[in-house]
Amino acid sequence: MDSNHVLIGNDRLPFDILSYLFQLYLDQETILYPLETLLLVCKAWNEAAVTFRSLWGSYKIVTDEGDDEDLKKFWLRRLPVRLRRSGLNTPLHIDFETKPNYRYPAYRSPTTDIGTNIGRLFDILAGEKGHLCARWKSLRIVIGATFGQANIHSPHHFVFLANPMPSLVSLHLVGLQVRSHATFFRDLPSIESIAIHECQLPNLPDMSHARRILLDEIQLCREGVKDRFINAPNVQDLCLSDNEGRTYKLPQKFPALRTLSLLSWPQIPVEAVILLPALSRKQHSTDIRAPSGM
């Protein structure tokens, strides 16, 4: 097959256009119309899609808080195949979201722990002994909650967060409630963007390489001052928000900081004068808004 064109009837479609169409389909994938549907269009599309490694390295998994067996089986069956098609070195982009299931009345919780499904899916995405985590480039986990963010998730379902992620560029967490003595996100040498909302975690992630940081309503299992130290010498945009009076310890220098947002604070949580030579915008208010780019 010509590497630049794919035959469709009597016409030739440039591969860059075909890859664009594939990406559009991926962005709108549903269980009824999964990515594998592309393989059924024709032989040429089948061959092009199978060899398009990055197409199989993006996973947008949306489930609910109940016993959605069809959805669970869908991903448990397809994830191993998609990982094989992605090859050995393709970066992996993971977007996992649970949405509230209003079929369950307020007085009855779902019979399946959210973490059980997360654990089974991420066991596959992390690979044996977590070796696939080295290929993760973006990770977004959003845990919606019908009953608020009060439920504590079993820590053994989130052990994958303790694996090395040397290629991770973007980290976005919402609603994780994990009490654990393990250390999560220990070394993130490639990280650029960190956004964490309404989570309970063992520790803050490694922020030493991040350029954009948003920390909103975070409770740590270890609440010492040193555990809330913002060690981020390269940060350019920093947003801290907390309604509970928890504070962060900041270094005396943020040489690259351009935007500082301190939201919902009764007072600025700074113990010493901070040198901000590059600061162009500072926001201190009670209105929780993320700065642009977060």
Side-chain angles (χ1 to χ4, degrees):
M1 183 177 66
D2 189 328
S3 61
N4 297 317
H5 296 80
V6 176
L7 276 172
I8 300 181
N10 294 322
D11 300 322
R12 286 178 176 269
L13 187 65
F15 186 76
D16 57 345
I17 295 179
L18 190 60
S19 62
Y20 176 72
L21 294 176
F22 287 171
Q23 186 61 50
L24 286 178
Y25 195 94
L26 174 64
D27 293 340
Q28 302 179 54
E29 178 186 24
T30 67
I31 289 185
L32 293 178
Y33 301 100
L35 193 58
E36 286 79 4
T37 305
L38 296 172
L39 306 178
L40 307 177
V41 175
C42 65
K43 182 179 179 181
W45 278 46
N46 182 298
E47 293 176 355
V50 167
T51 58
F52 190 7
R53 300 291 192 190
S54 62
L55 189 66
W56 306 101
S58 296
Y59 312 104
K60 187 173 183 179
I61 304 171
V62 181
T63 182
D64 64 30
E65 295 178 335
D67 300 323
D68 198 335
E69 288 298 324
D70 291 339
L71 186 60
K72 182 170 62 177
K73 290 177 181 177
F74 173 90
W75 284 108
L76 291 176
R77 183 171 65 249
R78 281 174 167 75
L79 278 178
V81 177
R82 293 191 182 188
L83 283 167
R84 287 196 297 271
R85 286 177 176 155
S86 72
L88 298 176
N89 302 308
T90 302
L92 304 179
H93 299 271
I94 301 169
D95 188 334
F96 181 94
E97 181 175 357
T98 68
K99 294 186 176 180
N101 186 337
Y102 296 103
R103 293 175 298 174
Y104 291 91
Y107 58 82
R108 185 168 70 88
S109 62
T111 57
T112 298
D113 178 16
I114 298 171
T116 302
N117 290 342
I118 293 176
R120 294 183 66 184
L121 292 170
F122 275 92
D123 280 347
I124 298 173
L125 289 167
E128 186 178 359
K129 296 182 179 180
H131 74 283
L132 291 179
C133 294
R135 292 168 51 189
W136 292 6
K137 190 166 185 178
S138 64
L139 176 62
R140 177 178 179 267
I141 302 177
V142 177
I143 309 298
T146 308
F147 316 107
Q149 302 290 356
N151 296 327
I152 303 299
H153 307 135
S154 301
H156 65 273
H157 296 311
F158 293 85
V159 293
F160 60 89
L161 297 178
N163 292 318
M165 302 177 192
S167 302
L168 195 68
V169 172
S170 176
L171 173 65
H172 188 177
L173 304 176
V174 179
L176 271 70
Q177 306 294 316
V178 185
R179 291 176 181 169
S180 173
H181 295 292
T183 300
F184 291 171
F185 308 113
R186 283 176 289 187
D187 185 20
L188 303 175
S190 302
I191 199 70
E192 294 182 5
S193 177
I194 296 174
I196 305 178
H197 304 259
E198 298 183 349
C199 289
Q200 180 175 164
L201 299 170
N203 57 279
L204 292 174
D206 170 28
M207 295 179 282
S208 57
H209 300 277
R211 297 185 178 185
R212 296 178 299 278
I213 298 174
L214 186 155
L215 304 178
D216 174 23
E217 302 290 340
I218 300 176
Q219 181 178 350
L220 299 180
C221 299
R222 301 186 292 267
E223 281 289 2
V225 173
K226 65 182 180 62
D227 299 309
R228 284 187 169 267
F229 180 62
I230 307 296
N231 179 27
N234 299 306
V235 66
Q236 296 177 359
D237 300 290
L238 175 62
C239 178
L240 303 176
S241 174
D242 197 307
N243 286 314
E244 301 298 324
R246 293 180 290 257
T247 60
Y248 296 91
K249 184 175 177 58
L250 306 179
Q252 291 191 344
K253 292 184 180 180
F254 276 120
L257 192 67
R258 298 178 307 189
T259 302
L260 174 63
S261 298
L262 303 171
L263 310 180
S264 297
W265 292 87
Q267 59 183 5
I268 299 178
V270 178
E271 297 178 359
V273 176
I274 301 178
L275 301 180
L276 307 169
L279 186 67
S280 59
R281 185 167 70 91
K282 183 171 70 173
Q283 180 180 3
H284 179 215
S285 73
T286 57
D287 182 18
I288 299 179
R289 294 192 306 271
S292 59
M294 284 299 199

